[in-house]
Amino acid sequence: LAGLTFRDELLPGADWRELYARLTAQWPVAEACKRIVGALALAAEQDQAEAIATYWLGALERGDSPTLADLQARFAARPSSTIELPQVTQHEIASYDVLIPATSATELRCHA
């Protein structure tokens, strides 16, 4: 991310560019890039780019520096505790017999 000539075009908006500038000023470039890329992946998965950037910038303004785990805990989708399974009724296998035309034993021939 640090060496990309199109980095600013890759970031979703001005807030993300500001985050990148602040994080690279505060952290080693490799750590800042790791945080930004992880947060971008989370933003894409959850469709929360704007919300994540707004929250993260606010945290930095307050002197906090949320980790990627903090962002994931706040923005990751939480699975439902119960999954409702559909009711399935199994039909009788004999019901397929109506699909086979009736033939007598004398009509059955072996073709060799």
Side-chain angles (χ1 to χ4, degrees):
L1 184 64
L4 292 176
T5 56
F6 56 90
R7 178 187 57 239
D8 288 346
E9 289 78 23
L10 178 68
L11 297 171
D15 287 347
W16 284 91
R17 289 187 290 278
E18 183 178 345
L19 280 169
Y20 179 81
R22 285 182 169 205
L23 291 180
T24 54
Q26 180 180 356
W27 296 92
V29 173
E31 179 63 26
C33 289
K34 181 180 173 183
R35 288 180 181 219
I36 289 286
V37 169
L40 285 170
L42 177 65
E45 290 166 4
Q46 303 302 323
D47 194 23
Q48 295 275 345
E50 188 175 328
I52 291 172
T54 300
Y55 169 77
W56 205 353
L57 282 173
L60 292 174
E61 290 291 327
R62 293 186 304 275
D64 296 333
S65 186
T67 64
L68 182 56
D70 295 333
L71 295 173
Q72 288 169 334
R74 183 173 184 92
F75 291 100
R78 289 167 180 78
S80 175
S81 59
T82 59
I83 298 175
E84 199 168 313
L85 298 175
Q87 293 296 327
V88 178
T89 304
Q90 180 64 43
H91 61 277
E92 294 294 322
I93 195 77
S95 65
Y96 285 109
D97 290 345
V98 298
L99 300 174
I100 302 171
T103 57
S104 67
T106 57
E107 291 180 37
L108 293 177
R109 294 189 182 128
C110 206
H111 296 284

